[in-house]
Amino acid sequence: MSAIFKREMLSYFTGAIGYVFIAVFLALTGGVFGICTLFMGKESSVSMFFIAMLFIYSIIVPLLTMKSFSEERKTRTEQLLLTSPVSLTGMVMGKFFSAYAMFAGSFVISCVNFYTLFRYGTPNVAVLVSYCVGILLIGAAYVAIGLFISALTENQLIAAIATIGTLIVMLVISFVNQYIDFYPVRFVLSWISIYSRFSNFTFGILDISSLLYYFSICFVFLFLTVRVYEKRRWA
Amino acid sequence: MIRIENLVKRYGKKYALDSISLDISKGEVIGFLGPNGAGKSTTMNIITGYLSATSGNVYIDGIDLLSDPQTVKTMIGYLPEQPPLYVDMTVREYLNFVFDLKKCTYSRKKHIDEICSVVKIADVQNRVIRNLSKGYKQRVGIAQALVGNPPIIIFDEPTVGLDPKEIIEIRSLIRKLGEKHTVILSTHILSEVQVVCDRIIIIDSGRIIADKPTEELARVAGTNKKYNVKISGPLREVLSMLKEHPGVKSAEATGENDNGTYTFILETDANTDIRRSLFSALTEYNWPMMGLEEINASLEDIFISIVDSKYESEKSSEGTRASWDDADEEI
C-alpha cells in the first residue's frame, strides 16, 4: 500500500496535475473567501463561504481522482498491480490516501485565509473548527466517490464528468427535497444528500451521526471499488 | 513447479480455455505457441492471478493460487503483452517502485543495479520511460519481471514489435534466464520457440493440441522440404522438367514475376538435397535460375498437420502417417 501511495504522490508532482490542483484550489478558495466573507460586512460569518466551497470542491476533487484507476486500466499498468503481492484493498487504500492527502493538504494550506478573520473580526471558533472537520470528512467522501467512478471507466474525461455530475446531484438533492411532498421519497433522497448532513456542522456541533454518515459513504464507495476489481477478475 | 488442472475460462458461452492441464517442472523453458486468440494470454493471466478461472486449479510449488495468492504472486515475475510501464517515471524510479510493490527484502541498490546490467538498461536508468524506444521499453518490462528474483518468469509475446537485432538479443537474454529460472514464454512465431524453449505446448481454441519436447516437434515438422525457385524459361517445359527431376516429389507454378520468370514451389524428401543437381540441370537447358530458397515449416502447417494426424489416428487404428507440409515461415 505504501508503495502505491508513494507512486501516486510522485505522479501528482511529476506531471502538472498536482500543481494545477493546488493552484486552482488555493485561487478559488481565496477568491470565494474574499467575496463571501470579507466583503459581506462585519459578521465574520463563514457559512456562505463553506457552502460555496462544497460546490467548488465537487468540481475540483474529480481532477484528483479521475485518472486513479481509469489511466491504470487504459495503459494496462493495473496488470502489474494486480499480479503483485498487494491486496486489492491495499491498492484501493493506497490510491485513496494519496488523493485524500492532496485534498487535505491543500485545504490545510487554504486555512491561512482564516487568519484575516481573527485579525480583523471576531469569528466563532467552534463553528469554524466544526466546519473544517465537516469539510475534511466531505472531502474524504468526495474522493471515495471519485475513485469508484474512476474504476468504472477507461476514460479519464468520462470519469471526471460523471464524478462532477454525481457530486453536484448529491448536493442539490437537499434543496430539491424541500419541494417533495411524498415522505418515503424524501426519506430516501435525504439519505443520499451530502448537504443535509453538513448543516449540523453549521452550528458548531460535531454530530456523531453526521461523522458516521461520511465515514460510511467513504467505506461503501471504497468497498465498491474493491468489488469492481474483484468482479472484473471473474468476468 | 507449476501444476494446472482442468483449467476452464468461460466468457458467456464462449470457452477461452477448455479444460487445460499442464505440469511444468523446475528449470524448464516452456513455449506456448498458438495463433492469436488461442488462449495463451488467458492461461498466463490466470497463472499470474490477474484473471480468475471459471473452474480448475493452479498450484505453484504446491501452493494453491486461490488459497494463498500473495505468496504465489511473490514467486512469479510477469511481463504482460503490453509492458505495464508508468511512462511518467524514470526507469530507476519505476524499478524502485516495483521493488517496494513486491516487498523485496534484498539490498535495493545492489539488486536493481544487477537487474539493469542483466537486461542492459543501465545507460537509460535516469531517463523517463515515455521517451524510450520500443526495444528499451520492452527491456524495462523484462527488468520489472525480474525484480525480487522470482523462481518463475512468464513472458507474453516478448518480441512483438521489436527490430531483428533486438529480437535476437531478447531471445538470448531469455535463454540465459532459463538457466536459473522456470520460464514460460508465449509467441506465435515458431522459430522463436525452437531457438529458446525446451518444450513446446501448442494451444488452439482453448485446448492443448500438442505438448512435446522441441526436437520432437521440429522433427515432425521437417518431414518434407520445400523450395521456392525462380526460373527464367518457358513455363510448361520448365514445369515438366522439374517434375521429372530426380528427388522432386511435386512441383507447381505459383506465379509470373517479370518477363518470362516464373516462381515454382518444389517439394522433396527431408534427406535429399536437390539444389546442386537442379542448378546444373537448369544450366544444361540454359534456363537461368533467378532465385532459390528453402521454406521452413510455419505454425499453421504444424497445426494442420497435428489436427490432421489426430483426425487420421482417430479414423484408422493403422495410424496412417499424415504428410507434413512446409511453407513460409512467419516472422
Side-chain angles (χ1 to χ4, degrees):
Chain A
M1 189 181 96
S2 65
I4 293 175
F5 175 82
K6 268 198 283 184
R7 203 213 81 77
E8 287 292 308
M9 292 309 279
L10 189 75
S11 87
Y12 281 130
F13 290 106
T14 49
I17 204 151
Y19 299 105
V20 169
F21 176 81
I22 293 176
V24 170
F25 190 102
L26 293 181
L28 284 175
T29 318
V32 172
F33 184 74
I35 294 167
C36 293
T37 308
L38 301 183
F39 296 159
M40 292 304 271
K42 293 175 181 168
E43 270 182 60
S44 305
S45 155
V46 285
S47 60
M48 267 288 279
F49 165 70
F50 279 111
I51 290 170
M53 284 330 281
L54 282 185
F55 283 91
I56 287 171
Y57 292 155
S58 68
I59 292 168
I60 59 176
V61 165
L63 278 181
L64 289 177
T65 59
M66 63 182 185
K67 70 174 202 167
S68 290
F69 292 105
S70 55
E71 175 97 338
E72 300 259 0
R73 190 162 159 197
K74 195 169 184 177
T75 57
R76 301 289 190 90
T77 43
E78 62 171 22
Q79 244 170 331
L80 171 65
L81 303 184
L82 296 177
T83 58
S84 299
V86 178
S87 65
L88 285 176
T89 319
M91 176 180 90
V92 171
M93 293 313 280
K95 298 247 178 201
F96 171 76
F97 283 126
S98 60
Y100 187 60
M102 288 294 291
F103 172 82
S106 311
F107 178 74
V108 168
I109 297 174
S110 78
C111 285
V112 293
N113 290 329
F114 301 137
Y115 171 73
T116 52
L117 291 184
F118 289 100
R119 180 79 176 73
Y120 300 107
T122 45
N124 183 333
V125 179
V127 170
L128 196 58
V129 169
S130 73
Y131 263 130
C132 289
V133 171
I135 284 286
L136 286 173
L137 285 171
I138 282 196
Y142 277 14
V143 169
I145 293 169
L147 287 180
F148 169 67
I149 292 174
S150 175
L152 296 178
T153 171
E154 277 188 26
N155 189 320
Q156 290 186 37
L157 197 64
I158 290 177
I161 292 171
T163 311
I164 293 173
T166 310
L167 294 179
I168 299 252
V169 166
M170 288 176 91
L171 277 177
V172 174
I173 271 177
S174 62
F175 299 109
V176 178
N177 225 0
Q178 300 165 2
Y179 301 103
I180 294 174
D181 287 334
F182 191 50
Y183 177 73
V185 173
R186 215 165 62 218
F187 181 76
V188 170
L189 287 184
S190 77
W191 264 104
I192 54 171
S193 157
I194 288 187
Y195 180 74
S196 66
R197 311 278 151 177
F198 191 62
S199 47
N200 285 332
F201 295 112
T202 340
F203 311 119
I205 304 168
L206 284 179
D207 178 16
I208 296 289
S209 73
S210 301
L211 296 182
L212 272 180
Y213 175 77
Y214 292 121
F215 275 126
S216 13
I217 290 256
C218 238
F219 174 79
V220 165
F221 279 96
L222 293 177
F223 176 74
L224 286 177
T225 312
V226 173
R227 297 306 298 171
V228 166
Y229 269 86
E230 194 75 28
K231 183 180 171 289
R232 277 237 307 281
R233 185 180 284 188
W234 289 95
Chain B
M1 196 74 194
I2 304 175
R3 204 167 85 237
I4 298 175
E5 286 172 353
N6 302 321
L7 209 58
V8 174
K9 179 71 182 174
R10 221 174 50 206
Y11 293 108
K13 281 184 179 169
K14 192 184 169 293
Y15 281 85
L17 291 183
D18 191 357
S19 195
I20 281 190
S21 297
L22 267 180
D23 222 324
I24 296 171
S25 42
K26 199 171 177 179
E28 273 188 301
V29 181
I30 303 282
F32 271 1
L33 200 59
N36 294 330
K40 298 175 302 226
S41 298
T42 310
T43 313
M44 294 180 148
N45 280 333
I46 291 174
I47 297 175
T48 53
Y50 177 60
L51 290 177
S52 292
T54 310
S55 68
N57 299 312
V58 177
Y59 300 95
I60 308 290
D61 211 8
I63 306 169
D64 188 345
L65 176 65
L66 288 181
S67 69
D68 192 358
Q70 309 271 352
T71 313
V72 168
K73 284 173 182 177
T74 56
M75 298 165 65
I76 302 178
Y78 182 34
L79 171 68
E81 205 167 345
Q82 194 178 337
L85 305 174
Y86 290 99
V87 293
D88 55 348
M89 297 172 110
T90 66
V91 173
R92 192 80 192 190
E93 281 169 352
Y94 175 69
L95 293 177
N96 279 332
F97 165 64
V98 177
F99 187 91
D100 289 339
L101 197 64
K102 294 191 175 174
K103 301 178 178 135
C104 304
T105 47
Y106 305 98
S107 130
R108 175 196 298 262
K109 189 176 179 311
K110 196 172 150 237
H111 186 56
I112 290 178
D113 281 343
E114 233 169 63
I115 290 172
C116 285
S117 75
V118 168
V119 298
K120 297 187 182 126
I121 50 171
D123 50 330
V124 295
Q125 272 186 61
N126 295 317
R127 284 179 59 187
V128 177
I129 296 178
R130 186 196 317 273
N131 302 330
L132 297 179
S133 71
K134 171 99 176 132
Y136 267 116
K137 281 183 184 158
Q138 195 72 17
R139 279 165 201 241
V140 177
I142 293 178
Q144 163 273 124
L146 298 181
V147 171
N149 208 10
I152 300 168
I153 300 175
I154 298 181
F155 295 119
D156 197 351
E157 309 205 346
T159 56
V160 167
L162 302 182
D163 72 31
K165 187 165 163 277
E166 289 168 339
I167 290 180
I168 291 168
E169 282 174 359
I170 298 249
R171 281 180 191 165
S172 68
L173 174 63
I174 293 173
R175 216 176 323 148
K176 209 167 105 195
L177 291 174
E179 292 163 10
K180 286 186 192 156
H181 305 260
T182 306
V183 178
I184 303 180
L185 152 96
S186 86
T187 177
H188 53 262
I189 304 166
L190 182 63
S191 60
E192 186 156 294
V193 280
Q194 283 176 333
V195 173
V196 177
C197 305
D198 309 329
R199 183 172 139 201
I200 296 179
I201 294 168
I202 300 184
I203 301 183
D204 186 34
S205 325
R207 286 164 188 268
I208 293 180
I209 59 171
D211 181 352
K212 290 189 170 80
T214 308
E215 311 87 59
E216 208 174 303
L217 197 74
R219 204 176 57 232
V220 166
T223 320
N224 275 351
K225 264 191 200 166
K226 268 189 174 179
Y227 296 97
N228 191 337
V229 200
K230 286 180 188 152
I231 298 167
S232 176
L235 176 62
R236 213 175 282 171
E237 283 89 337
V238 175
L239 191 60
S240 66
M241 173 257 158
L242 286 176
K243 279 183 175 158
E244 281 158 24
H245 190 83
V248 174
K249 285 168 96 177
S250 74
E252 116 187 69
T254 55
E256 182 174 1
N257 286 29
D258 37 48
N259 285 347
T261 303
Y262 298 92
T263 307
F264 302 88
I265 303 272
L266 301 183
E267 202 176 329
T268 71
D269 277 331
N271 320 329
T272 8
D273 189 347
I274 59 155
R275 287 176 295 185
R276 282 189 188 78
S277 64
L278 185 66
F279 184 82
S280 44
L282 286 170
T283 331
E284 256 172 50
Y285 285 98
N286 199 19
W287 294 330
M289 185 190 277
M290 311 298 281
L292 172 72
E293 73 183 317
E294 192 177 341
I295 309 168
N296 291 316
S298 77
L299 185 56
E300 290 73 30
D301 295 318
I302 294 188
F303 275 140
I304 293 165
S305 313
I306 288 171
V307 173
D308 274 357
S309 66
K310 273 198 170 171
Y311 177 72
E312 295 273 341
S313 63
E314 275 165 23
K315 208 171 73 174
S316 64
S317 51
E318 293 158 10
T320 37
R321 178 135 194 175
S323 68
W324 294 85
D325 288 343
D326 309 82
D328 269 308
E329 179 176 350
E330 173 194 355
I331 273 202

